[in-house]
Amino acid sequence: MKRVFPLLIAACVFSAPVFAGLKFGLQAGVYSPTKGIDDGDNGIVLGGDLWFKFTVVGFKIEAFYVDSSGRLEDELGSGFGEAEISVKNMFNADFMWFPLGTTFFAQAGVNLVNYDVDEINQDVIDNELGIEFGLGASVFDKLLVQGKILYTPNAIEDDAVDTITGLDSSDVRGYMVTIGWHF
């Protein structure tokens, strides 16, 4: 009996097609840090993805151009100079799990968010590597709708958070929602 149950599960998993395909798609959506960068940070994302889908699991890599920038003032106020931290692009790698084997999926992975710093020292950015979790749906393996929560620990140096107004944390948290089409 102990061997029957694993064999039954294996038979159910492998009775479906083992390889459902390699897909390429284009995506568009929005990205918004909700903690960390705080001024004018909402942005549009445009990019593409490549994913490998098996029966109940998949792997996806994504690359996005992000049009997002925040104008931040230093502690002396806007008359004495300003600084800008922008999110320029983002790269993601996700593991996907399709619990029903078809439409809906949960995903978890890592991301690399590239910050561009103008008019302040480049050493303000400490870490660009973060983690992400999300949910999504792939309708007929063509239309992709997904939402993610992104978290980058220690993205900004603590000294910069203390001296630049408009930064509320050294960690950057946010969300991203995209819609895509696979070819």
Side-chain angles (χ1 to χ4, degrees):
M1 187 65 179
K2 290 182 183 179
R3 293 184 185 178
V4 172
F5 186 66
L7 289 174
L8 181 62
I9 289 177
C12 290
V13 168
F14 293 114
S15 64
V18 174
F19 186 69
L22 169 67
K23 304 259 187 241
F24 169 74
L26 298 175
Q27 295 184 41
V30 294
Y31 168 70
S32 179
T34 57
K35 185 173 176 80
I37 305 171
D38 193 40
D39 182 24
D41 51 340
N42 296 328
I44 296 172
V45 296
L46 301 170
D49 66 84
L50 182 67
W51 60 313
F52 309 91
K53 181 182 175 188
F54 298 94
T55 304
V56 293
V57 295
F59 181 74
K60 175 173 48 137
I61 53 175
E62 300 169 316
F64 293 106
Y65 164 75
V66 182
D67 181 19
S68 173
S69 63
R71 200 78 177 142
L72 304 171
E73 298 175 1
D74 65 11
E75 65 179 353
L76 299 175
S78 61
F80 292 94
E82 294 181 335
E84 185 174 314
I85 297 179
S86 303
V87 179
K88 290 297 182 188
N89 54 47
M90 182 184 316
F91 301 96
N92 307 331
D94 295 322
F95 173 78
M96 301 183 302
W97 176 57
F98 295 83
L100 302 176
T102 57
T103 304
F104 300 102
F105 61 89
Q107 60 187 346
V110 296
N111 61 56
L112 180 69
V113 179
N114 292 321
Y115 299 100
D116 186 28
V117 181
D118 291 335
E119 300 178 19
I120 40 179
N121 191 345
Q122 294 290 332
D123 295 333
V124 166
I125 303 302
D126 186 28
N127 179 29
E128 295 180 332
L129 185 64
I131 59 173
E132 61 191 30
F133 303 96
L135 298 172
S138 175
V139 181
F140 301 120
D141 285 338
K142 292 291 187 184
L143 178 67
L144 171 74
V145 179
Q146 69 175 350
K148 296 182 182 183
I149 297 173
L150 297 90
Y151 174 70
T152 307
N154 300 319
I156 302 168
E157 286 285 342
D158 289 332
D159 295 341
V161 174
D162 295 337
T163 59
I164 299 174
T165 60
L167 296 177
D168 59 358
S169 172
S170 64
D171 302 332
V172 175
R173 271 195 327 246
Y175 63 89
M176 182 175 72
V177 176
T178 63
I179 284 185
W181 184 261
H182 288 112
F183 300 100

